[in-house]
Amino acid sequence: HDALPIYVGERVIGLDPLRTDFIWTKLYRDLNWIGPYGASLCAISGLDMALLDLKGKVFAYADPHSNTGYVVPRHALIAAGQDVSTHFQKTFFTWSHAKAIHAVASGLAEGAAVDSYVWDSLQKVDPQLVARTRIVWKSEEFGFPPIVAYHRVSQKDFDIFQQALFGMHEDPAGRALLDKLNLDGFVAGDQRLYDGVVKMMRELGEL
């Protein structure tokens, strides 16, 4: 059964960890080929405990104005019928996604909500730090935080700045900066990318 952890992992990655009954039933059926007890039941029970670990634990939010770092986890809990005010033993803000990862890695928090872009980028810069954390759930994809301009900026200046961003990947200095930022480049925005965020905030009564 050395391959069992990999087999189990392939079947639960991407599933909502708050739907523990669904995951337990799914794994019970998928692992039936090796028997309903023994190694299969141990694997399911171990996973079940891991998913429930965050309940009653210390949890770090990135920022009260963050989508992935605050809106998403609370919306997911409410959608699963959980009471956000009592689900965790204690919550606090770290005021940045990187610091939220640090909080988990250092043991200050037992879970945190962070942007996957920050987690992936930090993994390249400090892999040893990120190795002390693990991903237990991924939300649906949302639009990347946009770069916006003040409404009184002239159209001429707006266009110059926008074209500079769009052309960064074609310029050596711009390419070097993008690499440091762990980005491929910039494209024109589409407000529809943020419809999911708007929907969640409205359901939370925060918009």
Side-chain angles (χ1 to χ4, degrees), residues 126-143:
D126 194 346
Q128 292 185 338
L129 172 71
V130 176
R132 297 203 297 272
T133 69
R134 61 190 175 116
I135 298 175
V136 297
W137 175 63
K138 286 186 177 182
S139 71
E140 62 180 282
E141 292 187 353
F142 298 100

Side-chain angles (χ1 to χ4, degrees), residues 149-162:
Y150 186 52
H151 70 98
R152 291 184 178 176
V153 171
S154 69
Q155 187 63 47
K156 179 181 178 181
D157 289 341
F158 178 90
D159 291 340
I160 292 175
F161 184 62
Q162 187 180 60

Side-chain angles (χ1 to χ4, degrees), residues 170-189:
E170 299 175 347
D171 177 79
R175 181 69 260 171
L177 180 56
L178 287 171
D179 289 341
K180 288 184 178 180
L181 295 173
N182 194 30
L183 295 173
D184 296 321
F186 295 95
V187 296

Side-chain angles (χ1 to χ4, degrees), residues 11 15 32 91:
R11 277 149 185 77
L15 299 180
N32 191 54
T91 62

